[in-house]
C-alpha cells in the first residue's frame, strides 16, 4: 500500500470517527499519530512529532487573540449590549416593511463586530428579538428563523473566531483575514435586509400571522418615540468598542493580539459601568473563557499534528496533481471544494470542517493562484451555510432550544431559514467569482 493510499484511507477513517461521535481533537490526534507511525514505520518518530507539535503548535504570541476575543464577546453578552442595540434598531426601523426582521439583522451585524461568535448572537437575540417580533404579529417560526439566519454574521464580520482559526491553519495574516471579511460581511447583511423586505411584501403570510393587522399596527404604533439621548446612551458602549478594536486594527495601530486585549478591557469597563458583573458572573465568564479557549487551542494543536501527517503522506501535492490533470482548472477546483464543504456542513460542525479541509486545500489553492485571504472568505461563507442546514444546523438548534416554545418545531425553524441560505449561496458565488470583494482593502 502506497503512502498516498494510506493518506486517503486515514482521511476516511477520520470522518468515520467523527461521525461515530469521537471528539474531533481526539480523532485528529489518533489519525495523525497512526498515520506517521504506519507511513514511517517508526513509533518513536510519531511520539517525537507529537511532542514537538504540542510544544510549538500554539507557542506564538498570536494565539493570545483567541482567549482575548472570547473574553470580550462573553463580557459584551453579559452587559446586555445586544438587547440595547436591538431596541435602538427596533425604534428606527419598526415602520419599515418587515422592520423588526431588518432590526434583528442590523443589531446582529453590530453585535457580530464585537463578539465574533454566531452561537452567542443566536442565544442573545432569541431572548431579545423573538418575543418582541412575536408581540408585533410576526410568526414565531419566522422570528426564530430570522435570528438563526442573521446569527451567522458573527462568523464572517470581524473579529471572527473562524477567521482566526482559518488564518492559523492556512498561515496567513489574521489582521488581513479580518479586513478581507468586511465587504463580504456587509454584502451578506445587505442581502438579508433586501430579502426580508421583499419577502414581507410578496409573501406576507410567511412573515405575519395577520398581515392586515400588522400593517395597521405599523402605521400607528402608539408608542412614545425613544429620545435621541437615550438612543445614543444605548449605542455608545458598542460603538466605542467597535471603533476601538476594529479602528485600531485596520489603521495598524494595534496588532490583532493587542486589539483583543484592548477590546477585552473595554468590555470589562462597560460591564462594570453597567453594574451587570458581580463576582458570580465574573467567575462564570472567566470559566467559560477558559473552557472555550482551551478547546480551540487543543483543536489547533491537533490540526497542526494532522497537517504534518498529511505532508509526510504527500497528500496535498498528490491532490493538486490530480486536480491539475483533471482539467477542472482553478474555478472548477473551487466549485468542488465549496460543494464538499456544503455537504460536510450537513453532518459536521464548522470548526471540524476547517480542521479537516484547510490543511489539505490551502496549499492546493495557493498553487493554483488563489489569494489565500480570498480563499478563506469563500471557505468561511460555505462553512457558515452549514450552521443553517439540516440535520446538524447548530445555529438553528441553539435558537430552538433557547426559545423553548412547544408551538415552534425545529422543522419550522429550518424552513424559515431557507431564504437566508439562498442569500448566502448567492453571496458565496459572487465572492468566489469576484476576488476583489475580499482583497480590495488588502
Amino acid at each position: 500500500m502506497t503512502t498516498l493510499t494510506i493518506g486517503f484511507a486515514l482521511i476516511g477513517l477520520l470522518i468515520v470517527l467523527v461521525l461515530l461521535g469521537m471528539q474531533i481533537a481526539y480523532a485528529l490526534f489518533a489519525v495523525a499519530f497512526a498515520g506517521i507511525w504506519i507511513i514511517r514505520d517508526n513509533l518513536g518518530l510519531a511520539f517525537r512529532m507529537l511532542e514537538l507539535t504540542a510544544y510549538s503548535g500554539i507557542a506564538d504570541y498570536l494565539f493570545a487573540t483567541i482567549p482575548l476575543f472570547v473574553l470580550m464577546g462573553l463580557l459584551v453578552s453579559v452587559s446586555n449590549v445586544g438587547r440595547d442595540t436591538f431596541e435602538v434598531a427596533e425604534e428606527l426601523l419598526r415602520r419599515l416593511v418587515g422592520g423588526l426582521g431588518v432590526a434583528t439583522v442590523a443589531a446582529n451585524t453590530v453585535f457580530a463586530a464585537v463578539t465574533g461568535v454566531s452561537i452567542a448572537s443566536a442565544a442573545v437575540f432569541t431572548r431579545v428579538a423573538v418575543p418582541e417580533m412575536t408581540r408585533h404579529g410576526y410568526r414565531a417560526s419566522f422570528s426564530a428563523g430570522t435570528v438563526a439566519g442573521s446569527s451567522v454574521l458573527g462568523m464572517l464580520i470581524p473579529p471572527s473566531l473562524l477567521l482566526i482559526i482559518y488564518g492559523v491553519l492556512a498561515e496567513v495574516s489574521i489582521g488581513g483575514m479580518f479586513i478581507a471579511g468586511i465587504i463580504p460581511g456587509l454584502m451578506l447583511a445587505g442581502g438579508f435586509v433586501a430579502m426580508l423586505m421583499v419577502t414581507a411584501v410578496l409573501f406576507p403570510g410567511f412573515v405575519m400571522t395577520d398581515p392586515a393587522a400588522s400593517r395597521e399596527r405599523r402605521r400607528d404604533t402608539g408608542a412614545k418615540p425613544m429620545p435621541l439621548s437615550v438612543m445614543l446612551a444605548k449605542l455608545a458602549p458598542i460603538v466605542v468598542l467597535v471603533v476601538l478594536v476594529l479602528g485600531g486594527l485596520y489603521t495598524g495601530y494595534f496588532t490583532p493580539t493587542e486589539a483583543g486585549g484592548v477590546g477585552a478591557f473595554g468590555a470589562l469597563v462597560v460591564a462594570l459601568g453597567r453594574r451587570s458583573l458581580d463576582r458570580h458572573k465574573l467567575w462564570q465568564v472567566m470559566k467559560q473563557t477558559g473552557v472555550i479557549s482551551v478547546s480551540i487551542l487543543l483543536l489547533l494543536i491537533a490540526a497542526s499534528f494532522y497537517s504534518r501527517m498529511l505532508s509526510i503522506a504527500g497528500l496535498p501535492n498528490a491532490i493538486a496533481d490530480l486536480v491539475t490533470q483533471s482539467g477542472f482548472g482553478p474555478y472548477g477546483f473551487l466549485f468542488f471544494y465549496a460543494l464538499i464543504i456544503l455537504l460536510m456542513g450537513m453532518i459536521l460542525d464548522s470548526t471540524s470542517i476547517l480542521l479537516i479541509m484547510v490543511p489539505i486545500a490551502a496549499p492546493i489553492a495557493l498553487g493554483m493562484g488563489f489569494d489565500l485571504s480570498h480563499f478563506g472568505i469563500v471557505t468561511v461563507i460555505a462553512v457558515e451555510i452549514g450552521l443553517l442546514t439540516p440535520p446538524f444546523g447548530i445555529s438553528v438548534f441553539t435558537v430552538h432550544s433557547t426559545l423553548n416554545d412547544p408551538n415552534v418545531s425545529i422543522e419550522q425553524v429550518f424552513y424559515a431559514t431557507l431564504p437566508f441560505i439562498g442569500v448566502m449561496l448567492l453571496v458565496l458565488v459572487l465572492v468566489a467569482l469576484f476576488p476583489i470583494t475580499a482583497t480590495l482593502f488588502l
Side-chain angles (χ1 to χ4, degrees):
M1 186 181 292
T2 65
T3 57
L4 191 59
T5 305
I6 294 171
F8 279 116
L10 288 170
I11 291 175
L13 175 62
L14 173 63
I15 295 173
V16 169
L17 290 175
V18 173
L19 291 177
L20 289 175
M22 179 180 284
Q23 291 188 17
I24 181 67
Y26 300 141
L28 286 167
F29 276 124
V31 168
F33 186 89
I36 295 171
W37 182 10
I38 294 169
I39 292 169
R40 290 298 176 87
D41 193 22
N42 189 331
L43 180 60
L45 177 63
F47 275 114
R48 282 196 298 275
M49 291 199 69
L50 176 58
E51 179 187 352
L52 287 171
T53 306
Y55 174 75
S56 63
I58 56 170
D60 195 284
Y61 167 74
L62 183 66
F63 288 95
T65 55
I66 293 172
L68 290 172
F69 278 121
V70 170
L71 176 60
M72 181 177 69
L74 292 173
L75 286 170
V76 167
S77 297
V78 166
S79 305
N80 292 322
V81 169
R83 181 196 63 197
D84 288 351
T85 306
F86 175 76
E87 287 176 356
V88 174
E90 176 189 4
E91 175 68 22
L92 296 173
L93 302 170
R94 182 186 297 156
R95 293 180 183 274
L96 285 178
V97 177
L100 288 187
V102 175
T104 302
V105 172
N108 243 324
T109 303
V110 177
F111 195 68
V114 177
T115 58
V117 182
S118 291
I119 304 307
S121 297
V124 167
F125 287 100
T126 299
R127 299 189 190 98
V128 171
V130 173
E132 190 69 10
M133 292 177 72
T134 305
R135 187 170 68 84
H136 281 81
Y138 288 76
R139 291 188 180 277
S141 58
F142 175 81
S143 304
T146 300
V147 171
S150 58
S151 71
V152 300
L153 291 167
M155 287 303 186
L156 186 60
I157 292 179
S160 157
L161 284 180
L162 277 191
L163 292 180
I164 293 174
I165 292 171
Y166 173 84
V168 171
L169 294 174
E171 298 181 359
V172 296
S173 164
I174 290 176
M177 288 305 305
F178 285 172
I179 293 172
I182 297 174
I183 293 179
L186 293 176
M187 288 171 61
L188 208 55
F192 288 163
V193 168
M195 177 273 295
L196 285 168
M197 296 180 72
V198 169
T199 303
V201 172
L202 299 182
F203 308 101
F206 179 73
V207 177
M208 303 289 186
T209 53
D210 187 346
S214 297
R215 282 194 295 270
E216 191 64 33
R217 190 185 294 114
R218 195 169 62 248
R219 281 193 290 268
D220 182 21
T221 60
K224 186 179 179 180
M226 183 184 294
L228 180 61
S229 59
V230 175
M231 286 189 197
L232 294 176
K234 287 178 177 291
L235 284 180
I238 199 163
V239 170
V240 169
L241 282 175
V242 169
V243 170
L244 192 64
V245 175
L246 300 186
L249 189 62
Y250 297 151
T251 58
Y253 194 76
F254 298 143
T255 66
T257 306
E258 290 166 347
V262 169
F265 179 75
L268 177 62
V269 171
V270 170
L272 292 175
R274 290 178 163 227
R275 298 182 180 180
S276 57
L277 195 66
D278 54 28
R279 283 186 296 177
H280 174 71
K281 286 184 179 178
L282 178 60
W283 170 246
Q284 290 300 318
V285 165
M286 298 303 291
K287 187 167 71 171
Q288 286 181 55
T289 300
V291 170
I292 294 171
S293 301
V294 169
S295 300
I296 293 173
L297 292 171
L298 181 64
L299 284 169
L300 291 176
I301 293 173
S304 178
F305 193 38
Y306 166 72
S307 182
R308 295 186 184 199
M309 183 275 292
L310 293 176
S311 297
I312 290 173
L315 211 59
N317 291 335
I319 295 176
D321 291 340
L322 288 174
V323 171
T324 304
Q325 293 168 10
S326 68
F328 285 137
Y331 281 94
F333 160 72
L334 191 62
F335 170 78
F336 283 105
Y337 171 71
L339 182 62
I340 290 170
I341 287 184
L342 291 173
L343 294 174
M344 292 180 74
M346 296 182 179
I347 54 176
L348 296 175
D349 66 280
S350 304
T351 306
S352 298
I353 297 170
L354 287 183
L355 294 171
I356 292 170
M357 293 299 296
V358 172
I360 300 172
I364 300 172
L366 185 63
M368 301 193 85
F370 285 105
D371 181 285
L372 285 185
S373 296
H374 167 238
F375 185 73
I377 297 302
V378 171
T379 300
V380 170
I381 295 174
V383 166
E384 278 185 318
I385 295 173
L387 294 172
L388 303 178
T389 50
F392 198 80
I394 190 169
S395 282
V396 173
F397 279 99
T398 299
V399 168
H400 184 258
S401 61
T402 305
L403 186 61
N404 196 26
D405 185 346
N407 296 319
V408 180
S409 68
I410 190 70
E411 292 81 7
Q412 288 176 311
V413 182
F414 272 121
Y415 179 64
T417 61
L418 288 177
F420 291 89
I421 294 173
V423 171
M424 294 179 75
L425 288 171
L426 176 61
V427 172
L428 174 63
V429 171
L430 291 175
V431 172
L433 293 178
F434 302 100
I436 195 172
T437 54
T439 60
L440 180 62
F441 298 127
L442 294 178

